[in-house]
Amino acid sequence: LNPDFLRQGRQRQASLTKPAGSLGRLEQLAITLSAQQQRPRPAVDRVRIVVFAADHGVCAEGVSAFPQEVTGQMIANFVNGGAAISVLARHLGAELEVVNLGTAHPLPARDGVVMAEIAPGTANLATAAAMSEEQLQAALSAGRDAVQRAAGAELFIGGEMGIGNTTAAAAVACALLDLAPEVLAGPGTGLDADGLRHKVAVLHRALQRHRDTVAEADQPLPVLASLGGFEVAALAGAFLAAAQTRIPVLVDGFIASVAALAATRLQPGLAEWLHFAHQSAEPGHARVLAALDADPLLRLNMRLGEGSGAAAAVPLLRQACALHNQMASFQDAGISKGQ
Amino acid sequence: LNPDFLRQGRQRQASLTKPAGSLGRLEQLAITLSAQQQRPRPAVDRVRIVVFAADHGVCAEGVSAFPQEVTGQMIANFVNGGAAISVLARHLGAELEVVNLGTAHPLPARDGVVMAEIAPGTANLATAAAMSEEQLQAALSAGRDAVQRAAGAELFIGGEMGIGNTTAAAAVACALLDLAPEVLAGPGTGLDADGLRHKVAVLHRALQRHRDTVAEADQPLPVLASLGGFEVAALAGAFLAAAQTRIPVLVDGFIASVAALAATRLQPGLAEWLHFAHQSAEPGHARVLAALDADPLLRLNMRLGEGSGAAAAVPLLRQACALHNQMASFQDAGISKGQ
């Protein structure tokens, strides 16, 4: 990040009418946003939220508490305004785009849904590669295209929807971090203890099936193709494209963080563009955040995905900018400085 | 709190298009606000922030990194719009009121400042009672009066300003919790290690001086009179009045939490009306929160006071309400439910 803007930002914070450091993390947020946006007065007024949706062949293994048809039903709910992310986007005055990367039951074209179908969901990652090399490239492209449509946004949030996608994300994280499924699998939308044990067993089978790919964990693309999901790969592509076009990213929960992990393995410089919104209740998230050296802003026990945890943190970024841009300086306000 | 509204709120949350519990703490926030406001669709659109300002005789002991004249200077900064809480209130569309309870150097009347001067600051709590019984009653009244002026508000935030007031708040907390100054004193606006050691020594002297009062820790009023500050007592009075008029309270940092602790000792039922916004970087705050059985929403290392940490958390309450009120139900959206 531009050192001049970082220095200017620190100087400005030191001049404002408050004890040094007393706004805590809001101070560094504003300074970082200033350097990312390369302007002395950062802003996150224009927020772009893109929800990538796709189905997962691994649902054949019975790894989710919800039936697979919910992915398509939720796509409709997103654009009809009834989903959590729809409500939050409206509340924030943020732009919301929904990208359909492929559902098990093909959906009709619908106003407000970008149709970018790659296949009717991935293959079952427990028994085959989740996607081909071409499908992976298509998913990465879909993420890049979404960022191109977001030109001018001051913050990018990537959300996801896909019944079964905590299984895919856990598989990718196991491979990239060389950790066991027991550490990274969680209840997702609501598995009970038996369901979770079964999910762990499915993940063990998947990692065994793809052990040659897993051995090349410094090569995230084969890992994403073998074990990922279309929306996980699209998020990775979107994060990389956002950084290239200098749009700061606010990373959502477990699945978005796994995508961020894969993307930073591809391009370590990406890390400078990522803010981490929250720590999910999904137990694997803490491990993924630790691997990213990330200290998220919120810990509210959320675990919905869709970008909802990131949306919840947007006001903190906006408040950080307002404070940085609008507070009076000691000099202007005629206030005595401390020791 | 009204059990019908609690039950209705839980039922509504269970009907919304998301896995049960997946919005984490935002779900309970909305349910609690619904029961506090006794309406099925809670709202925190109208937010009232009152900053109580006063000076502290204990500044004669050299316990602050800032000179005492800053209290009066900041009162001007609040109403001129340059302070952190001014910026945050504007950003939130919240009402901001400033109440002057008495500064060491008397201030001229100023538009936007409620003049409720009790004395030119408290007496030095290290050598005498900080205030008389009459002064304590006047401070509690000033808090009640501020709530009366807030009629119709959907959320009350009490902020404070007063050079030296972390010393007074720590003294009150030591007395109420029977803990040593070493546990509850912190750097405040920015003491170094020597400064903090001196502050602890002053607190030891104060607690020794008022040991008869301290022995009656179940009597918070004598503790507030001996060791408190006008703004600490006013916050306690305001919190009690807000609960009586059914306005939920969002408690700010260390000083506001000490006031909440004193007020709940007077009236344990108050606890149902309190939301806790953040955990301050001031090290004693964690102990005070634990005594209140409070798990605050934010941990951002803020330590400014003024109500700034509470203001930072207001968007979470608003988002919780928007989600509760506006999300579609499974039935309305035609979405399949999980196991």
Side-chain angles (χ1 to χ4, degrees):
Chain A
L1 293 180
N2 186 305
D4 292 336
F5 282 102
L6 291 173
R7 194 184 60 248
Q8 277 179 41
R10 282 191 294 268
Q11 281 170 353
R12 176 156 179 83
Q13 281 291 332
S15 77
L16 302 177
T17 48
K18 57 183 171 59
S22 62
L23 287 173
R25 294 190 63 188
L26 299 186
E27 298 187 4
Q28 190 56 51
L29 264 182
I31 294 167
T32 304
L33 285 165
S34 170
Q36 288 167 334
Q37 298 181 343
Q38 305 216 3
R39 48 181 172 169
R41 300 292 176 267
V44 288
D45 298 324
R46 210 188 132 194
V47 175
R48 180 80 163 192
I49 304 173
V50 181
V51 179
F52 298 98
D55 265 324
H56 293 262
V58 73
C59 282
E61 306 287 340
V63 289
S64 178
F66 277 82
Q68 199 167 26
E69 68 211 32
V70 169
T71 304
Q73 291 168 345
M74 284 299 296
I75 288 175
N77 200 24
F78 292 142
V79 295
N80 290 339
I85 194 60
S86 321
V87 172
L88 292 173
R90 204 160 56 228
H91 187 76
L92 293 168
E95 306 162 4
L96 176 62
E97 181 178 87
V98 181
V99 179
N100 179 0
L101 299 168
T103 52
H105 307 283
L107 297 176
R110 182 187 282 273
D111 273 1
V113 179
V114 176
M115 295 303 255
E117 291 168 285
I118 297 166
T122 50
N124 179 355
L125 61 87
T127 59
M131 64 189 97
S132 68
E133 171 67 20
E134 292 70 31
Q135 289 176 330
L136 173 62
Q137 289 302 329
L140 292 164
S141 267
R144 282 197 295 272
D145 293 349
V147 170
Q148 213 156 34
R149 290 190 296 272
E154 294 166 314
L155 186 73
F156 182 86
I157 290 173
E160 41 57 44
M161 172 70 215
I163 297 299
N165 68 5
T166 57
T167 301
V172 170
C174 285
L176 294 179
L177 300 177
D178 196 17
L179 289 170
E182 286 79 357
V183 177
L184 286 164
T189 51
L191 292 177
D192 60 15
D194 281 348
L196 180 54
R197 267 190 294 274
H198 176 64
K199 182 173 174 176
V200 166
V202 170
L203 282 166
H204 273 293
R205 260 199 289 143
L207 292 166
Q208 176 66 14
R209 165 75 180 71
H210 300 286
R211 59 188 179 278
D212 298 340
T213 312
V214 171
E216 302 174 80
D218 57 330
Q219 299 293 324
L221 290 181
V223 170
L224 280 174
S226 303
L227 299 165
F230 296 148
E231 78 281 48
V232 180
L235 284 169
F239 294 160
L240 291 165
Q244 277 161 2
T245 48
R246 301 188 171 286
I247 305 178
V249 173
L250 185 57
V251 180
D252 189 35
F254 179 58
I255 291 149
S257 297
V258 170
L261 180 66
T264 52
R265 290 285 174 92
L266 284 167
Q267 178 51 264
L270 171 62
E272 287 189 336
W273 295 89
L274 303 181
H275 300 268
F276 288 87
H278 80 125
Q279 181 174 320
S280 161
E282 185 71 5
H285 196 199
R287 300 300 286 258
V288 175
L289 288 167
L292 284 157
D293 199 18
D295 182 11
L297 292 164
L298 297 173
R299 285 178 173 80
L300 295 174
N301 236 17
M302 296 173 75
R303 54 177 172 81
L304 177 56
E306 303 180 3
S308 59
V314 166
L316 292 175
L317 276 64
R318 286 180 170 170
Q319 289 176 314
C321 291
L323 290 161
H324 189 81
N325 299 343
Q326 296 173 33
M327 277 184 72
S329 68
F330 282 101
Q331 193 169 3
D332 289 348
I335 290 175
S336 313
K337 287 204 81 163
Q339 287 163 5
Chain B
L1 294 180
N2 186 304
D4 293 335
F5 282 103
L6 290 172
R7 193 184 60 248
Q8 277 180 42
R10 282 191 295 267
Q11 281 169 352
R12 175 156 179 85
Q13 281 290 332
S15 76
L16 302 177
T17 49
K18 57 183 173 60
S22 63
L23 287 173
R25 295 190 62 186
L26 300 186
E27 298 188 4
Q28 189 56 51
L29 264 182
I31 294 166
T32 305
L33 285 164
S34 169
Q36 288 167 334
Q37 298 180 344
Q38 305 216 5
R39 49 179 172 172
R41 301 291 177 268
V44 288
D45 297 324
R46 209 188 135 195
V47 175
R48 179 80 163 195
I49 305 173
V50 181
V51 180
F52 298 96
D55 265 324
H56 293 261
V58 72
C59 282
E61 305 288 339
V63 290
S64 176
F66 278 80
Q68 199 167 25
E69 69 211 30
V70 169
T71 303
Q73 292 167 346
M74 284 300 295
I75 288 175
N77 199 25
F78 292 141
V79 295
N80 291 338
I85 194 60
S86 322
V87 171
L88 292 172
R90 203 159 58 228
H91 186 76
L92 293 169
E95 306 163 4
L96 176 62
E97 179 178 89
V98 181
V99 179
N100 179 0
L101 299 170
T103 52
H105 307 283
L107 298 176
R110 181 186 284 271
D111 274 359
V113 178
V114 176
M115 296 303 254
E117 292 169 283
I118 298 167
T122 50
N124 180 356
L125 61 88
T127 58
M131 63 189 98
S132 67
E133 172 67 20
E134 292 69 32
Q135 290 177 329
L136 173 61
Q137 289 302 331
L140 292 164
S141 268
R144 283 196 297 271
D145 293 348
V147 170
Q148 213 157 33
R149 289 189 297 271
E154 294 166 313
L155 185 74
F156 182 86
I157 291 174
E160 42 55 45
M161 171 71 214
I163 297 300
N165 68 6
T166 59
T167 300
V172 170
C174 286
L176 294 179
L177 300 177
D178 195 17
L179 288 170
E182 286 78 359
V183 176
L184 286 164
T189 52
L191 290 178
D192 60 15
D194 280 347
L196 180 53
R197 266 190 293 274
H198 176 64
K199 182 174 174 176
V200 167
V202 170
L203 283 165
H204 272 294
R205 257 199 291 146
L207 292 166
Q208 176 65 16
R209 166 75 179 71
H210 299 285
R211 61 187 178 279
D212 297 338
T213 313
V214 170
E216 302 175 79
D218 55 332
Q219 298 294 324
L221 290 181
V223 170
L224 280 174
S226 302
L227 299 165
F230 296 147
E231 78 281 47
V232 179
L235 285 168
F239 295 161
L240 290 165
Q244 277 161 0
T245 48
R246 301 188 170 286
I247 305 177
V249 173
L250 185 57
V251 180
D252 189 37
F254 178 59
I255 291 148
S257 297
V258 170
L261 179 67
T264 54
R265 290 284 174 93
L266 284 167
Q267 179 49 264
L270 171 63
E272 289 191 334
W273 296 88
L274 304 181
H275 299 268
F276 288 86
H278 81 124
Q279 181 173 319
S280 162
E282 185 72 4
H285 196 200
R287 300 299 286 260
V288 175
L289 288 168
L292 285 157
D293 199 19
D295 183 12
L297 292 165
L298 298 173
R299 285 178 172 80
L300 296 173
N301 235 15
M302 296 171 74
R303 53 177 172 81
L304 176 56
E306 303 179 3
S308 59
V314 167
L316 292 174
L317 275 64
R318 287 181 170 170
Q319 289 176 312
C321 292
L323 290 161
H324 189 81
N325 300 343
Q326 298 174 32
M327 277 184 73
S329 68
F330 281 100
Q331 192 169 1
D332 290 347
I335 291 175
S336 314
K337 287 205 82 166
Q339 289 161 3

